[in-house]
Amino acid sequence: MTTYLNGVSLPPSKRVSIFGGTHGNEMTGVTLVRQWIKNGAEVQRAGVLVTPFIANPKAVERRVRYIDQDLNRAFTPEILSLVERKDLPCEVKQAQEINRLFGPKGSKDAYDVIFDLHNTTSNMGCTFILENSGDDFILQMVNYIKCTLGQSSCHVLLNEHPELKYETTRSVAKHAVGLEVGPQPQGVIRSDILKSTRQILKYALDFIQLFNKGEEFAACDLEVYVLDASVDYPRDQHGDISAMIHPHLQDRDWQPLCPGDAIFLTFDGKTIYYEGEGTVYPTFINEAAYYEKHRAFVTTRKKVLPAKGVKIRTV
Amino acid sequence: MTTYLNGVSLPPSKRVSIFGGTHGNEMTGVTLVRQWIKNGAEVQRAGVLVTPFIANPKAVERRVRYIDQDLNRAFTPEILSLVERKDLPCEVKQAQEINRLFGPKGSKDAYDVIFDLHNTTSNMGCTFILENSGDDFILQMVNYIKCTLGQSSCHVLLNEHPELKYETTRSVAKHAVGLEVGPQPQGVIRSDILKSTRQILKYALDFIQLFNKGEEFAACDLEVYVLDASVDYPRDQHGDISAMIHPHLQDRDWQPLCPGDAIFLTFDGKTIYYEGEGTVYPTFINEAAYYEKHRAFVTTRKKVLPAKGVKIRTV
């Protein structure tokens, strides 16, 4: 990275991968990546190696989120450095394999960009999940896509939370971006969700090509939702869930939630109200995969993030 | 069964069971039945033994449809008569256990009624699934519920198809009724779906109580959708799915489908049209659990089914 008057100059992005099936029952990425492995014309761009990749083939085959543990939490230094053994959990082996193919994580040899395609049962629409507010390249890419599609077309969730951030599959690359599109049930392919994902990927690859060709992207502001807290379901004395998402909150991802608003409805009909401080923007509301993670929804706070201008570094 | 001038007289329904978790990831039934096991006041009715029951506890625990095979296809004479052995598939053992507790299937000792609570990812609303057009007791119950809730509130799917009918968990009882409510993703509890299911169950139990008390239900006509055919996804030469439900068909369960209407969209953008004969009413459109059953949707034909009057048989 080199700074210039209006921003930073960065090396070209020559190696890009599109991951589907990090979670084996999130079918949009699985379906698109399988198609692109058969015929990659749609995702090829001049001067860029674009590699579509099924991240967890065993989970995909069984149409489950994972076999032994969540692959999308497995890219910690501890797991990546475990000594190879036959009896390692499926996703530990797979994380190490991905790190070999697309990393090593944090090294100069790592892939430039990984897009990781996800689905959610929540009514989140198209959401970019970012892990690094200082990654101007990704911020500019997202801004480009939002401007091309229309500003209200997608949301940006920024997870730099000290306790809630996790080590994602895509974190192997220099620039990582997750795309979470919903609502779509696990195991289902919906044409509308597939179309949105495909369109966003197209513009993301267009951005990379334009950047590589020398186009300069001027400094900009990006509206992001900063991950704030995780809210669990109410539970009884045995630890069992005793309430569900309130009908007033269900499907209202990204809508303002204020203290005193209904969030849960107990199975015997009592309403539970939000008691946090100030207005928040809930998302991942009633995500199927998060019941086991003791998460009914997360709260976020809105923020405008400045992105520096970016252009290619010409040596 | 005894006939009288306007219908048939039947013995009282004294033993009724409500099954949840025949499929372990269909959460409405699982949630309601668990509540009613803790506190059954809501489902108790004078003079009736009402037993809430988790049908496949191991699948429920792992939040999957089934462990070894689909429990809701396991109630064949062959499976029910298999000699007990330790290594029988989980659902074979469970089917035999259910047959011991609530059957034996086809015998006079069997439970009078089993309600089996299901969810679907399809946009089916509330759907009764019936297996016997000659079961006037169930037809009258459904008519009572429809009249109480409003005629357009739910649909009735009749499956007597020679090839597509299967041996359900509830088939152990003398009178069997499946309740399929959606759309709800697997593994998710939606408050709106839970509320609808709960309301239908209330009226179903009210009907039983009224019947037992001597109320006579006059002959009536019931609109049903008769299961006609199962339609698979288009596939490539390797047997892999090559198309998805067309956006014009997605979520349009129970809407008329005519020859020439779009049904699939291939992953490379071609529309495939319906080529069947005459107008049909598709349902179970894009049900997650049916991908493995090679079923994209089923077609039905509308029919008006006459139900005889019913009243209790007083000996």
Side-chain angles (χ1 to χ4, degrees):
Chain A
M1 189 172 105
T2 318
T3 56
Y4 66 95
L5 188 60
N6 297 309
V8 292
S9 59
L10 302 165
S13 283
K14 295 203 161 167
R15 292 186 304 159
V16 172
S17 187
I18 306 165
F19 282 9
T22 284
H23 296 132
N25 55 9
E26 299 180 4
M27 297 308 293
T28 304
V30 172
T31 305
L32 285 172
V33 165
R34 277 179 170 164
Q35 289 308 304
W36 293 331
I37 289 172
K38 286 180 196 165
N39 180 0
E42 182 179 339
V43 291
Q44 295 312 323
R45 296 293 186 277
V48 188
L49 171 70
V50 181
T51 313
F53 182 74
I54 295 288
N56 195 344
K58 285 185 182 158
V60 167
E61 197 183 321
R62 288 180 43 189
R63 235 182 168 85
V64 293
R65 184 174 174 90
Y66 57 78
I67 305 293
D68 295 318
Q69 65 188 68
D70 195 332
L71 180 64
N72 211 29
R73 306 289 185 276
F75 288 76
T76 63
E78 297 70 32
I79 289 178
L80 294 180
S81 62
L82 280 174
V83 178
E84 266 189 81
R85 276 195 348 229
K86 265 199 165 174
D87 61 347
L88 286 177
C90 170
E91 280 79 10
V92 169
K93 289 186 207 166
Q94 188 60 13
Q96 296 188 344
E97 174 71 5
I98 288 170
N99 196 41
R100 270 190 294 273
L101 290 170
F102 298 98
K105 179 172 173 173
S107 79
K108 68 173 182 26
D109 290 332
Y111 257 55
D112 296 305
V113 183
I114 294 176
F115 297 103
D116 196 12
L117 306 184
H118 288 262
N119 293 118
T120 172
T121 62
S122 307
N123 187 28
M124 287 172 67
C126 297
T127 301
F128 295 98
I129 305 191
L130 308 190
E131 309 173 8
N132 177 2
S133 59
D135 188 340
D136 294 301
F137 180 77
I138 292 292
L139 297 182
Q140 286 287 354
M141 177 194 290
V142 169
N143 186 59
Y144 172 83
I145 296 168
K146 286 189 76 161
C147 291
T148 312
L149 284 173
Q151 281 294 337
S152 64
S153 56
C154 33
H155 291 88
V156 183
L157 175 61
L158 176 63
N159 185 359
E160 295 183 311
H161 193 286
E163 281 109 50
L164 299 174
K165 188 174 174 178
Y166 48 90
E167 302 297 325
T168 59
T169 314
R170 58 192 176 268
S171 69
V172 162
K174 294 189 181 97
H175 304 288
V177 56
L179 183 57
E180 188 78 63
V181 189
Q184 179 170 273
Q186 297 175 344
V188 161
I189 308 169
R190 281 187 68 101
S191 56
D192 50 354
I193 301 286
L194 191 119
K195 186 179 174 185
S196 304
T197 307
R198 200 166 199 164
Q199 195 172 34
I200 285 174
L201 245 292
K202 174 193 165 0
Y203 292 128
L205 295 170
D206 289 352
F207 170 86
I208 291 173
Q209 195 176 25
L210 289 169
F211 172 83
N212 284 351
K213 279 185 179 168
E215 185 152 331
E216 185 175 337
F217 296 88
C220 66
D221 285 332
L222 193 64
E223 184 184 76
V224 299
Y225 292 78
V226 180
L227 187 61
D228 184 52
S230 177
V231 181
D232 189 14
Y233 292 95
R235 291 175 186 272
D236 65 17
Q237 67 272 30
H238 308 293
D240 296 329
I241 286 176
S242 59
M244 54 196 159
I245 295 290
H246 195 280
H248 292 176
L249 180 61
Q250 178 67 47
D251 302 326
R252 289 178 54 82
D253 299 73
W254 309 118
Q255 302 300 310
L257 178 74
C258 302
D261 287 349
I263 52 173
F264 294 114
L265 183 64
T266 68
F267 298 133
D268 49 4
K270 291 182 199 72
T271 295
I272 295 174
Y273 301 94
Y274 183 59
E275 293 181 343
E277 274 177 34
T279 300
V280 291
Y281 297 84
T283 195
F284 275 118
I285 298 169
N286 213 349
E287 159 57 41
Y290 285 178
Y291 280 77
E292 69 172 20
K293 297 188 198 294
H294 286 220
R295 173 173 297 168
F297 60 91
V298 298
T299 59
T300 70
R301 302 204 183 245
K302 226 191 275 199
K303 179 179 166 176
V304 174
L305 197 65
K308 294 195 184 82
V310 298
K311 66 174 183 184
I312 199 170
R313 186 166 68 209
T314 43
V315 192
Chain B
M1 188 172 105
T2 320
T3 56
Y4 66 97
L5 188 60
N6 297 309
V8 292
S9 60
L10 302 166
S13 282
K14 295 203 162 167
R15 292 186 306 158
V16 172
S17 187
I18 307 166
F19 282 10
T22 283
H23 296 132
N25 55 9
E26 299 180 5
M27 298 307 295
T28 303
V30 171
T31 305
L32 285 172
V33 165
R34 278 179 169 165
Q35 289 309 303
W36 293 331
I37 288 171
K38 286 181 196 165
N39 180 358
E42 182 179 340
V43 292
Q44 295 313 322
R45 295 293 184 279
V48 188
L49 171 71
V50 181
T51 312
F53 182 74
I54 295 288
N56 195 344
K58 285 186 182 159
V60 167
E61 196 184 323
R62 287 179 45 187
R63 235 182 168 85
V64 293
R65 184 175 174 90
Y66 57 79
I67 305 291
D68 295 319
Q69 65 188 67
D70 195 333
L71 180 65
N72 210 31
R73 306 290 185 278
F75 289 75
T76 63
E78 296 71 30
I79 289 178
L80 294 180
S81 63
L82 281 174
V83 178
E84 266 191 80
R85 277 193 349 230
K86 265 201 164 173
D87 62 346
L88 286 178
C90 169
E91 280 79 10
V92 168
K93 290 186 206 166
Q94 187 59 13
Q96 296 188 344
E97 174 71 3
I98 288 170
N99 195 41
R100 270 189 294 274
L101 290 170
F102 300 97
K105 179 172 172 171
S107 78
K108 66 171 180 31
D109 291 333
Y111 257 55
D112 296 303
V113 183
I114 293 177
F115 298 102
D116 196 12
L117 306 184
H118 287 263
N119 294 116
T120 172
T121 62
S122 306
N123 187 28
M124 288 171 68
C126 297
T127 301
F128 294 98
I129 306 191
L130 308 189
E131 310 173 7
N132 177 2
S133 59
D135 187 341
D136 294 301
F137 180 78
I138 292 292
L139 298 181
Q140 287 286 355
M141 177 193 292
V142 170
N143 186 59
Y144 172 83
I145 296 168
K146 287 189 76 162
C147 292
T148 311
L149 284 173
Q151 281 295 337
S152 64
S153 57
C154 32
H155 291 88
V156 182
L157 176 61
L158 175 65
N159 185 0
E160 296 183 311
H161 194 284
E163 281 109 48
L164 299 174
K165 189 174 173 178
Y166 47 89
E167 303 296 326
T168 59
T169 314
R170 58 192 176 268
S171 68
V172 162
K174 294 189 181 97
H175 305 287
V177 55
L179 182 56
E180 188 77 64
V181 189
Q184 179 170 274
Q186 296 175 343
V188 162
I189 309 168
R190 281 187 68 101
S191 56
D192 50 354
I193 301 287
L194 190 120
K195 186 179 174 185
S196 305
T197 307
R198 201 167 199 163
Q199 194 171 34
I200 286 174
L201 246 290
K202 174 194 167 356
Y203 293 128
L205 294 170
D206 288 352
F207 170 86
I208 291 174
Q209 194 176 26
L210 290 169
F211 172 83
N212 284 352
K213 279 187 181 168
E215 185 153 329
E216 184 176 339
F217 295 88
C220 65
D221 285 334
L222 193 63
E223 184 184 77
V224 300
Y225 292 79
V226 179
L227 187 60
D228 184 52
S230 177
V231 180
D232 188 15
Y233 292 95
R235 292 175 186 272
D236 65 17
Q237 67 272 31
H238 308 293
D240 296 329
I241 286 177
S242 59
M244 55 197 158
I245 296 291
H246 195 280
H248 293 175
L249 181 61
Q250 178 68 46
D251 303 324
R252 288 178 55 82
D253 298 73
W254 308 118
Q255 302 300 309
L257 177 74
C258 302
D261 286 348
I263 51 174
F264 294 114
L265 182 64
T266 68
F267 297 133
D268 49 4
K270 292 183 198 74
T271 295
I272 295 173
Y273 300 95
Y274 183 59
E275 292 179 345
E277 274 177 36
T279 300
V280 291
Y281 297 84
T283 196
F284 276 118
I285 298 169
N286 212 348
E287 160 56 41
Y290 285 177
Y291 280 78
E292 69 173 20
K293 297 188 197 297
H294 287 221
R295 174 174 297 168
F297 60 92
V298 298
T299 59
T300 71
R301 300 200 185 249
K302 227 192 272 198
K303 180 179 167 177
V304 173
L305 197 66
K308 294 195 185 80
V310 299
K311 66 173 184 185
I312 200 170
R313 185 167 69 210
T314 43
V315 193

